[in-house]
mmCIF file with all atom_site columns, all heavy atoms in Angstrom:
data_model
loop_
_atom_site.group_PDB
_atom_site.id
_atom_site.type_symbol
_atom_site.label_atom_id
_atom_site.label_alt_id
_atom_site.label_comp_id
_atom_site.label_asym_id
_atom_site.label_entity_id
_atom_site.label_seq_id
_atom_site.pdbx_PDB_ins_code
_atom_site.Cartn_x
_atom_site.Cartn_y
_atom_site.Cartn_z
_atom_site.occupancy
_atom_site.B_iso_or_equiv
_atom_site.pdbx_formal_charge
_atom_site.auth_seq_id
_atom_site.auth_comp_id
_atom_site.auth_asym_id
_atom_site.auth_atom_id
_atom_site.pdbx_PDB_model_num
ATOM 1   N N   . PRO A 1 10 ? -10.894 12.184 0.072   1.00 44.00 ? 564 PRO A N   1
ATOM 2   C CA  . PRO A 1 10 ? -12.206 11.800 0.617   1.00 44.00 ? 564 PRO A CA  1
ATOM 3   C C   . PRO A 1 10 ? -12.637 10.441 0.043   1.00 44.00 ? 564 PRO A C   1
ATOM 4   O O   . PRO A 1 10 ? -12.259 10.096 -1.069  1.00 44.00 ? 564 PRO A O   1
ATOM 5   C CB  . PRO A 1 10 ? -13.128 12.924 0.158   1.00 44.00 ? 564 PRO A CB  1
ATOM 6   C CG  . PRO A 1 10 ? -12.421 13.606 -0.959  1.00 44.00 ? 564 PRO A CG  1
ATOM 7   C CD  . PRO A 1 10 ? -10.956 13.435 -0.610  1.00 44.00 ? 564 PRO A CD  1
ATOM 8   N N   . PRO A 1 11 ? -13.372 9.700  0.840   1.00 45.00 ? 565 PRO A N   1
ATOM 9   C CA  . PRO A 1 11 ? -13.838 8.392  0.336   1.00 45.00 ? 565 PRO A CA  1
ATOM 10  C C   . PRO A 1 11 ? -14.708 8.517  -0.912  1.00 45.00 ? 565 PRO A C   1
ATOM 11  O O   . PRO A 1 11 ? -15.179 9.580  -1.244  1.00 45.00 ? 565 PRO A O   1
ATOM 12  C CB  . PRO A 1 11 ? -14.637 7.814  1.537   1.00 45.00 ? 565 PRO A CB  1
ATOM 13  C CG  . PRO A 1 11 ? -14.851 8.931  2.471   1.00 45.00 ? 565 PRO A CG  1
ATOM 14  C CD  . PRO A 1 11 ? -13.813 9.950  2.224   1.00 45.00 ? 565 PRO A CD  1
ATOM 15  N N   . LEU A 1 12 ? -14.886 7.418  -1.530  1.00 41.00 ? 566 LEU A N   1
ATOM 16  C CA  . LEU A 1 12 ? -15.388 7.432  -2.899  1.00 41.00 ? 566 LEU A CA  1
ATOM 17  C C   . LEU A 1 12 ? -16.831 7.985  -2.915  1.00 41.00 ? 566 LEU A C   1
ATOM 18  O O   . LEU A 1 12 ? -17.216 8.561  -3.911  1.00 41.00 ? 566 LEU A O   1
ATOM 19  C CB  . LEU A 1 12 ? -15.380 6.013  -3.448  1.00 41.00 ? 566 LEU A CB  1
ATOM 20  C CG  . LEU A 1 12 ? -15.221 5.925  -4.961  1.00 41.00 ? 566 LEU A CG  1
ATOM 21  C CD1 . LEU A 1 12 ? -14.016 6.691  -5.379  1.00 41.00 ? 566 LEU A CD1 1
ATOM 22  C CD2 . LEU A 1 12 ? -15.071 4.498  -5.395  1.00 41.00 ? 566 LEU A CD2 1
ATOM 23  N N   . HIS A 1 13 ? -17.564 7.751  -1.897  1.00 41.00 ? 567 HIS A N   1
ATOM 24  C CA  . HIS A 1 13 ? -18.977 8.160  -1.992  1.00 41.00 ? 567 HIS A CA  1
ATOM 25  C C   . HIS A 1 13 ? -19.072 9.691  -1.998  1.00 41.00 ? 567 HIS A C   1
ATOM 26  O O   . HIS A 1 13 ? -20.148 10.216 -2.269  1.00 41.00 ? 567 HIS A O   1
ATOM 27  C CB  . HIS A 1 13 ? -19.816 7.564  -0.896  1.00 41.00 ? 567 HIS A CB  1
ATOM 28  C CG  . HIS A 1 13 ? -19.310 7.966  0.483   1.00 41.00 ? 567 HIS A CG  1
ATOM 29  N ND1 . HIS A 1 13 ? -18.503 7.177  1.211   1.00 41.00 ? 567 HIS A ND1 1
ATOM 30  C CD2 . HIS A 1 13 ? -19.629 9.043  1.237   1.00 41.00 ? 567 HIS A CD2 1
ATOM 31  C CE1 . HIS A 1 13 ? -18.269 7.784  2.384   1.00 41.00 ? 567 HIS A CE1 1
ATOM 32  N NE2 . HIS A 1 13 ? -18.935 8.898  2.455   1.00 41.00 ? 567 HIS A NE2 1
ATOM 33  N N   . GLN A 1 14 ? -18.019 10.352 -1.703  1.00 40.00 ? 568 GLN A N   1
ATOM 34  C CA  . GLN A 1 14 ? -18.064 11.813 -1.771  1.00 40.00 ? 568 GLN A CA  1
ATOM 35  C C   . GLN A 1 14 ? -17.443 12.355 -3.065  1.00 40.00 ? 568 GLN A C   1
ATOM 36  O O   . GLN A 1 14 ? -17.183 13.486 -3.188  1.00 40.00 ? 568 GLN A O   1
ATOM 37  C CB  . GLN A 1 14 ? -17.311 12.416 -0.581  1.00 40.00 ? 568 GLN A CB  1
ATOM 38  C CG  . GLN A 1 14 ? -17.987 12.129 0.743   1.00 40.00 ? 568 GLN A CG  1
ATOM 39  C CD  . GLN A 1 14 ? -17.164 12.646 1.906   1.00 40.00 ? 568 GLN A CD  1
ATOM 40  O OE1 . GLN A 1 14 ? -16.209 13.357 1.713   1.00 40.00 ? 568 GLN A OE1 1
ATOM 41  N NE2 . GLN A 1 14 ? -17.577 12.287 3.121   1.00 40.00 ? 568 GLN A NE2 1
ATOM 42  N N   . ILE A 1 15 ? -17.295 11.454 -3.952  1.00 38.00 ? 569 ILE A N   1
ATOM 43  C CA  . ILE A 1 15 ? -16.593 11.839 -5.138  1.00 38.00 ? 569 ILE A CA  1
ATOM 44  C C   . ILE A 1 15 ? -17.417 12.762 -6.005  1.00 38.00 ? 569 ILE A C   1
ATOM 45  O O   . ILE A 1 15 ? -16.872 13.456 -6.857  1.00 38.00 ? 569 ILE A O   1
ATOM 46  C CB  . ILE A 1 15 ? -16.173 10.554 -5.900  1.00 38.00 ? 569 ILE A CB  1
ATOM 47  C CG1 . ILE A 1 15 ? -14.827 10.092 -5.371  1.00 38.00 ? 569 ILE A CG1 1
ATOM 48  C CG2 . ILE A 1 15 ? -16.086 10.785 -7.409  1.00 38.00 ? 569 ILE A CG2 1
ATOM 49  C CD1 . ILE A 1 15 ? -14.289 8.850  -5.995  1.00 38.00 ? 569 ILE A CD1 1
ATOM 50  N N   . SER A 1 16 ? -18.662 12.853 -5.714  1.00 37.00 ? 570 SER A N   1
ATOM 51  C CA  . SER A 1 16 ? -19.467 13.773 -6.513  1.00 37.00 ? 570 SER A CA  1
ATOM 52  C C   . SER A 1 16 ? -18.897 15.186 -6.394  1.00 37.00 ? 570 SER A C   1
ATOM 53  O O   . SER A 1 16 ? -19.115 16.009 -7.299  1.00 37.00 ? 570 SER A O   1
ATOM 54  C CB  . SER A 1 16 ? -20.925 13.766 -6.025  1.00 37.00 ? 570 SER A CB  1
ATOM 55  O OG  . SER A 1 16 ? -20.932 13.984 -4.610  1.00 37.00 ? 570 SER A OG  1
ATOM 56  N N   . SER A 1 17 ? -18.153 15.415 -5.355  1.00 38.00 ? 571 SER A N   1
ATOM 57  C CA  . SER A 1 17 ? -17.562 16.737 -5.235  1.00 38.00 ? 571 SER A CA  1
ATOM 58  C C   . SER A 1 17 ? -16.474 16.946 -6.308  1.00 38.00 ? 571 SER A C   1
ATOM 59  O O   . SER A 1 17 ? -16.033 18.035 -6.515  1.00 38.00 ? 571 SER A O   1
ATOM 60  C CB  . SER A 1 17 ? -16.968 16.963 -3.862  1.00 38.00 ? 571 SER A CB  1
ATOM 61  O OG  . SER A 1 17 ? -15.954 15.989 -3.633  1.00 38.00 ? 571 SER A OG  1
ATOM 62  N N   . PHE A 1 18 ? -16.047 15.852 -6.858  1.00 39.00 ? 572 PHE A N   1
ATOM 63  C CA  . PHE A 1 18 ? -15.048 15.951 -7.941  1.00 39.00 ? 572 PHE A CA  1
ATOM 64  C C   . PHE A 1 18 ? -15.519 16.839 -9.059  1.00 39.00 ? 572 PHE A C   1
ATOM 65  O O   . PHE A 1 18 ? -14.739 17.396 -9.810  1.00 39.00 ? 572 PHE A O   1
ATOM 66  C CB  . PHE A 1 18 ? -14.726 14.585 -8.487  1.00 39.00 ? 572 PHE A CB  1
ATOM 67  C CG  . PHE A 1 18 ? -13.664 13.850 -7.732  1.00 39.00 ? 572 PHE A CG  1
ATOM 68  C CD1 . PHE A 1 18 ? -13.438 14.129 -6.380  1.00 39.00 ? 572 PHE A CD1 1
ATOM 69  C CD2 . PHE A 1 18 ? -12.893 12.910 -8.350  1.00 39.00 ? 572 PHE A CD2 1
ATOM 70  C CE1 . PHE A 1 18 ? -12.475 13.440 -5.680  1.00 39.00 ? 572 PHE A CE1 1
ATOM 71  C CE2 . PHE A 1 18 ? -11.909 12.228 -7.661  1.00 39.00 ? 572 PHE A CE2 1
ATOM 72  C CZ  . PHE A 1 18 ? -11.699 12.502 -6.311  1.00 39.00 ? 572 PHE A CZ  1
ATOM 73  N N   . SER A 1 19 ? -16.805 16.840 -9.222  1.00 37.00 ? 573 SER A N   1
ATOM 74  C CA  . SER A 1 19 ? -17.304 17.606 -10.366 1.00 37.00 ? 573 SER A CA  1
ATOM 75  C C   . SER A 1 19 ? -16.874 19.036 -10.279 1.00 37.00 ? 573 SER A C   1
ATOM 76  O O   . SER A 1 19 ? -16.928 19.781 -11.279 1.00 37.00 ? 573 SER A O   1
ATOM 77  C CB  . SER A 1 19 ? -18.826 17.510 -10.405 1.00 37.00 ? 573 SER A CB  1
ATOM 78  O OG  . SER A 1 19 ? -19.355 17.999 -9.194  1.00 37.00 ? 573 SER A OG  1
ATOM 79  N N   . ASN A 1 20 ? -16.444 19.486 -9.166  1.00 39.00 ? 574 ASN A N   1
ATOM 80  C CA  . ASN A 1 20 ? -16.019 20.868 -9.051  1.00 39.00 ? 574 ASN A CA  1
ATOM 81  C C   . ASN A 1 20 ? -14.649 21.080 -9.677  1.00 39.00 ? 574 ASN A C   1
ATOM 82  O O   . ASN A 1 20 ? -14.245 22.207 -9.941  1.00 39.00 ? 574 ASN A O   1
ATOM 83  C CB  . ASN A 1 20 ? -15.992 21.344 -7.594  1.00 39.00 ? 574 ASN A CB  1
ATOM 84  C CG  . ASN A 1 20 ? -17.392 21.309 -7.009  1.00 39.00 ? 574 ASN A CG  1
ATOM 85  O OD1 . ASN A 1 20 ? -18.382 21.474 -7.727  1.00 39.00 ? 574 ASN A OD1 1
ATOM 86  N ND2 . ASN A 1 20 ? -17.484 21.072 -5.716  1.00 39.00 ? 574 ASN A ND2 1
ATOM 87  N N   . PHE A 1 21 ? -13.912 20.018 -9.798  1.00 40.00 ? 575 PHE A N   1
ATOM 88  C CA  . PHE A 1 21 ? -12.593 20.178 -10.370 1.00 40.00 ? 575 PHE A CA  1
ATOM 89  C C   . PHE A 1 21 ? -12.675 20.380 -11.870 1.00 40.00 ? 575 PHE A C   1
ATOM 90  O O   . PHE A 1 21 ? -13.418 19.684 -12.550 1.00 40.00 ? 575 PHE A O   1
ATOM 91  C CB  . PHE A 1 21 ? -11.701 18.980 -10.073 1.00 40.00 ? 575 PHE A CB  1
ATOM 92  C CG  . PHE A 1 21 ? -11.355 18.875 -8.615  1.00 40.00 ? 575 PHE A CG  1
ATOM 93  C CD1 . PHE A 1 21 ? -12.015 18.029 -7.763  1.00 40.00 ? 575 PHE A CD1 1
ATOM 94  C CD2 . PHE A 1 21 ? -10.295 19.651 -8.075  1.00 40.00 ? 575 PHE A CD2 1
ATOM 95  C CE1 . PHE A 1 21 ? -11.701 17.909 -6.447  1.00 40.00 ? 575 PHE A CE1 1
ATOM 96  C CE2 . PHE A 1 21 ? -9.958  19.524 -6.749  1.00 40.00 ? 575 PHE A CE2 1
ATOM 97  C CZ  . PHE A 1 21 ? -10.672 18.649 -5.909  1.00 40.00 ? 575 PHE A CZ  1
ATOM 98  N N   . THR A 1 22 ? -11.875 21.216 -12.335 1.00 40.00 ? 576 THR A N   1
ATOM 99  C CA  . THR A 1 22 ? -11.784 21.384 -13.792 1.00 40.00 ? 576 THR A CA  1
ATOM 100 C C   . THR A 1 22 ? -10.589 20.516 -14.255 1.00 40.00 ? 576 THR A C   1
ATOM 101 O O   . THR A 1 22 ? -9.447  20.840 -13.984 1.00 40.00 ? 576 THR A O   1
ATOM 102 C CB  . THR A 1 22 ? -11.481 22.828 -14.195 1.00 40.00 ? 576 THR A CB  1
ATOM 103 O OG1 . THR A 1 22 ? -11.971 23.694 -13.173 1.00 40.00 ? 576 THR A OG1 1
ATOM 104 C CG2 . THR A 1 22 ? -12.090 23.115 -15.531 1.00 40.00 ? 576 THR A CG2 1
ATOM 105 N N   . MET A 1 23 ? -10.877 19.444 -14.840 1.00 42.00 ? 577 MET A N   1
ATOM 106 C CA  . MET A 1 23 ? -9.751  18.551 -15.174 1.00 42.00 ? 577 MET A CA  1
ATOM 107 C C   . MET A 1 23 ? -9.133  18.986 -16.487 1.00 42.00 ? 577 MET A C   1
ATOM 108 O O   . MET A 1 23 ? -7.938  19.000 -16.653 1.00 42.00 ? 577 MET A O   1
ATOM 109 C CB  . MET A 1 23 ? -10.242 17.109 -15.236 1.00 42.00 ? 577 MET A CB  1
ATOM 110 C CG  . MET A 1 23 ? -10.434 16.574 -13.842 1.00 42.00 ? 577 MET A CG  1
ATOM 111 S SD  . MET A 1 23 ? -10.965 14.912 -13.819 1.00 42.00 ? 577 MET A SD  1
ATOM 112 C CE  . MET A 1 23 ? -12.494 15.067 -14.621 1.00 42.00 ? 577 MET A CE  1
ATOM 113 N N   . ASN A 1 24 ? -9.965  19.172 -17.443 1.00 42.00 ? 578 ASN A N   1
ATOM 114 C CA  . ASN A 1 24 ? -9.430  19.865 -18.625 1.00 42.00 ? 578 ASN A CA  1
ATOM 115 C C   . ASN A 1 24 ? -10.575 20.628 -19.239 1.00 42.00 ? 578 ASN A C   1
ATOM 116 O O   . ASN A 1 24 ? -11.750 20.401 -18.949 1.00 42.00 ? 578 ASN A O   1
ATOM 117 C CB  . ASN A 1 24 ? -8.744  18.903 -19.589 1.00 42.00 ? 578 ASN A CB  1
ATOM 118 C CG  . ASN A 1 24 ? -9.683  17.899 -20.164 1.00 42.00 ? 578 ASN A CG  1
ATOM 119 O OD1 . ASN A 1 24 ? -10.780 18.230 -20.640 1.00 42.00 ? 578 ASN A OD1 1
ATOM 120 N ND2 . ASN A 1 24 ? -9.321  16.642 -20.124 1.00 42.00 ? 578 ASN A ND2 1
ATOM 121 N N   . LYS A 1 25 ? -10.269 21.455 -20.149 1.00 42.00 ? 579 LYS A N   1
ATOM 122 C CA  . LYS A 1 25 ? -11.262 22.411 -20.614 1.00 42.00 ? 579 LYS A CA  1
ATOM 123 C C   . LYS A 1 25 ? -12.417 21.737 -21.305 1.00 42.00 ? 579 LYS A C   1
ATOM 124 O O   . LYS A 1 25 ? -13.541 22.246 -21.305 1.00 42.00 ? 579 LYS A O   1
ATOM 125 C CB  . LYS A 1 25 ? -10.590 23.386 -21.606 1.00 42.00 ? 579 LYS A CB  1
ATOM 126 C CG  . LYS A 1 25 ? -9.507  24.198 -20.944 1.00 42.00 ? 579 LYS A CG  1
ATOM 127 C CD  . LYS A 1 25 ? -8.930  25.179 -21.911 1.00 42.00 ? 579 LYS A CD  1
ATOM 128 C CE  . LYS A 1 25 ? -7.762  25.920 -21.183 1.00 42.00 ? 579 LYS A CE  1
ATOM 129 N NZ  . LYS A 1 25 ? -6.485  25.557 -21.713 1.00 42.00 ? 579 LYS A NZ  1
ATOM 130 N N   . ASN A 1 26 ? -12.128 20.527 -21.833 1.00 43.00 ? 580 ASN A N   1
ATOM 131 C CA  . ASN A 1 26 ? -13.209 19.863 -22.546 1.00 43.00 ? 580 ASN A CA  1
ATOM 132 C C   . ASN A 1 26 ? -14.192 19.096 -21.642 1.00 43.00 ? 580 ASN A C   1
ATOM 133 O O   . ASN A 1 26 ? -15.181 18.551 -22.098 1.00 43.00 ? 580 ASN A O   1
ATOM 134 C CB  . ASN A 1 26 ? -12.628 18.901 -23.599 1.00 43.00 ? 580 ASN A CB  1
ATOM 135 C CG  . ASN A 1 26 ? -11.748 19.625 -24.580 1.00 43.00 ? 580 ASN A CG  1
ATOM 136 O OD1 . ASN A 1 26 ? -12.019 20.760 -24.874 1.00 43.00 ? 580 ASN A OD1 1
ATOM 137 N ND2 . ASN A 1 26 ? -10.689 18.981 -25.011 1.00 43.00 ? 580 ASN A ND2 1
ATOM 138 N N   . GLN A 1 27 ? -13.839 19.058 -20.403 1.00 40.00 ? 581 GLN A N   1
ATOM 139 C CA  . GLN A 1 27 ? -14.653 18.233 -19.473 1.00 40.00 ? 581 GLN A CA  1
ATOM 140 C C   . GLN A 1 27 ? -15.975 18.954 -19.128 1.00 40.00 ? 581 GLN A C   1
ATOM 141 O O   . GLN A 1 27 ? -16.002 20.131 -18.802 1.00 40.00 ? 581 GLN A O   1
ATOM 142 C CB  . GLN A 1 27 ? -13.830 18.018 -18.210 1.00 40.00 ? 581 GLN A CB  1
ATOM 143 C CG  . GLN A 1 27 ? -14.231 16.790 -17.420 1.00 40.00 ? 581 GLN A CG  1
ATOM 144 C CD  . GLN A 1 27 ? -13.828 15.524 -18.113 1.00 40.00 ? 581 GLN A CD  1
ATOM 145 O OE1 . GLN A 1 27 ? -12.895 15.546 -18.895 1.00 40.00 ? 581 GLN A OE1 1
ATOM 146 N NE2 . GLN A 1 27 ? -14.506 14.441 -17.818 1.00 40.00 ? 581 GLN A NE2 1
ATOM 147 N N   . ILE A 1 28 ? -17.035 18.212 -19.234 1.00 40.00 ? 582 ILE A N   1
ATOM 148 C CA  . ILE A 1 28 ? -18.316 18.782 -18.851 1.00 40.00 ? 582 ILE A CA  1
ATOM 149 C C   . ILE A 1 28 ? -18.543 18.423 -17.386 1.00 40.00 ? 582 ILE A C   1
ATOM 150 O O   . ILE A 1 28 ? -18.297 17.320 -16.950 1.00 40.00 ? 582 ILE A O   1
ATOM 151 C CB  . ILE A 1 28 ? -19.466 18.177 -19.691 1.00 40.00 ? 582 ILE A CB  1
ATOM 152 C CG1 . ILE A 1 28 ? -19.150 18.401 -21.183 1.00 40.00 ? 582 ILE A CG1 1
ATOM 153 C CG2 . ILE A 1 28 ? -20.799 18.728 -19.313 1.00 40.00 ? 582 ILE A CG2 1
ATOM 154 C CD1 . ILE A 1 28 ? -20.012 17.577 -22.091 1.00 40.00 ? 582 ILE A CD1 1
ATOM 155 N N   . HIS A 1 29 ? -19.087 19.375 -16.662 1.00 40.00 ? 583 HIS A N   1
ATOM 156 C CA  . HIS A 1 29 ? -19.333 19.110 -15.248 1.00 40.00 ? 583 HIS A CA  1
ATOM 157 C C   . HIS A 1 29 ? -20.506 18.169 -15.106 1.00 40.00 ? 583 HIS A C   1
ATOM 158 O O   . HIS A 1 29 ? -21.568 18.388 -15.699 1.00 40.00 ? 583 HIS A O   1
ATOM 159 C CB  . HIS A 1 29 ? -19.658 20.429 -14.537 1.00 40.00 ? 583 HIS A CB  1
ATOM 160 C CG  . HIS A 1 29 ? -18.411 21.227 -14.286 1.00 40.00 ? 583 HIS A CG  1
ATOM 161 N ND1 . HIS A 1 29 ? -18.056 21.694 -13.057 1.00 40.00 ? 583 HIS A ND1 1
ATOM 162 C CD2 . HIS A 1 29 ? -17.457 21.634 -15.128 1.00 40.00 ? 583 HIS A CD2 1
ATOM 163 C CE1 . HIS A 1 29 ? -16.940 22.349 -13.173 1.00 40.00 ? 583 HIS A CE1 1
ATOM 164 N NE2 . HIS A 1 29 ? -16.549 22.349 -14.422 1.00 40.00 ? 583 HIS A NE2 1
ATOM 165 N N   . ARG A 1 30 ? -20.223 17.076 -14.408 1.00 39.00 ? 584 ARG A N   1
ATOM 166 C CA  . ARG A 1 30 ? -21.274 16.098 -14.211 1.00 39.00 ? 584 ARG A CA  1
ATOM 167 C C   . ARG A 1 30 ? -21.284 15.708 -12.762 1.00 39.00 ? 584 ARG A C   1
ATOM 168 O O   . ARG A 1 30 ? -20.370 15.973 -11.995 1.00 39.00 ? 584 ARG A O   1
ATOM 169 C CB  . ARG A 1 30 ? -21.011 14.838 -15.017 1.00 39.00 ? 584 ARG A CB  1
ATOM 170 C CG  . ARG A 1 30 ? -20.938 15.095 -16.485 1.00 39.00 ? 584 ARG A CG  1
ATOM 171 C CD  . ARG A 1 30 ? -20.627 13.822 -17.155 1.00 39.00 ? 584 ARG A CD  1
ATOM 172 N NE  . ARG A 1 30 ? -20.456 14.093 -18.602 1.00 39.00 ? 584 ARG A NE  1
ATOM 173 C CZ  . ARG A 1 30 ? -20.577 13.179 -19.536 1.00 39.00 ? 584 ARG A CZ  1
ATOM 174 N NH1 . ARG A 1 30 ? -20.910 11.957 -19.197 1.00 39.00 ? 584 ARG A NH1 1
ATOM 175 N NH2 . ARG A 1 30 ? -20.382 13.448 -20.776 1.00 39.00 ? 584 ARG A NH2 1
ATOM 176 N N   . THR A 1 31 ? -22.327 15.008 -12.420 1.00 41.00 ? 585 THR A N   1
ATOM 177 C CA  . THR A 1 31 ? -22.340 14.530 -11.020 1.00 41.00 ? 585 THR A CA  1
ATOM 178 C C   . THR A 1 31 ? -21.251 13.466 -10.876 1.00 41.00 ? 585 THR A C   1
ATOM 179 O O   . THR A 1 31 ? -20.649 13.327 -9.819  1.00 41.00 ? 585 THR A O   1
ATOM 180 C CB  . THR A 1 31 ? -23.699 13.908 -10.678 1.00 41.00 ? 585 THR A CB  1
ATOM 181 O OG1 . THR A 1 31 ? -24.052 13.015 -11.711 1.00 41.00 ? 585 THR A OG1 1
ATOM 182 C CG2 . THR A 1 31 ? -24.738 14.988 -10.561 1.00 41.00 ? 585 THR A CG2 1
ATOM 183 N N   . ARG A 1 32 ? -21.040 12.757 -11.896 1.00 44.00 ? 586 ARG A N   1
ATOM 184 C CA  . ARG A 1 32 ? -19.911 11.832 -11.827 1.00 44.00 ? 586 ARG A CA  1
ATOM 185 C C   . ARG A 1 32 ? -18.656 12.588 -12.268 1.00 44.00 ? 586 ARG A C   1
ATOM 186 O O   . ARG A 1 32 ? -18.731 13.473 -13.087 1.00 44.00 ? 586 ARG A O   1
ATOM 187 C CB  . ARG A 1 32 ? -20.124 10.642 -12.749 1.00 44.00 ? 586 ARG A CB  1
ATOM 188 C CG  . ARG A 1 32 ? -21.202 9.720  -12.225 1.00 44.00 ? 586 ARG A CG  1
ATOM 189 C CD  . ARG A 1 32 ? -21.245 8.444  -13.002 1.00 44.00 ? 586 ARG A CD  1
ATOM 190 N NE  . ARG A 1 32 ? -22.565 8.231  -13.558 1.00 44.00 ? 586 ARG A NE  1
ATOM 191 C CZ  . ARG A 1 32 ? -22.755 7.687  -14.728 1.00 44.00 ? 586 ARG A CZ  1
ATOM 192 N NH1 . ARG A 1 32 ? -21.764 7.291  -15.471 1.00 44.00 ? 586 ARG A NH1 1
ATOM 193 N NH2 . ARG A 1 32 ? -23.999 7.524  -15.177 1.00 44.00 ? 586 ARG A NH2 1
ATOM 194 N N   . PRO A 1 33 ? -17.529 12.264 -11.696 1.00 48.00 ? 587 PRO A N   1
ATOM 195 C CA  . PRO A 1 33 ? -16.337 13.045 -11.976 1.00 48.00 ? 587 PRO A CA  1
ATOM 196 C C   . PRO A 1 33 ? -15.948 13.094 -13.457 1.00 48.00 ? 587 PRO A C   1
ATOM 197 O O   . PRO A 1 33 ? -15.460 14.059 -13.933 1.00 48.00 ? 587 PRO A O   1
ATOM 198 C CB  . PRO A 1 33 ? -15.217 12.370 -11.175 1.00 48.00 ? 587 PRO A CB  1
ATOM 199 C CG  . PRO A 1 33 ? -15.804 11.104 -10.671 1.00 48.00 ? 587 PRO A CG  1
ATOM 200 C CD  . PRO A 1 33 ? -17.258 11.221 -10.755 1.00 48.00 ? 587 PRO A CD  1
#
Side-chain angles (χ1 to χ4, degrees):
Chain A
L566 210 54
H567 60 266
Q568 294 175 9
I569 273 178
S570 52
S571 63
F572 274 26
S573 58
N574 297 330
F575 290 99
T576 332
M577 286 181 296
N578 63 49
K579 298 182 183 109
N580 301 327
Q581 205 72 23
I582 304 165
H583 285 234
R584 300 177 185 203
T585 49
R586 288 190 238 146

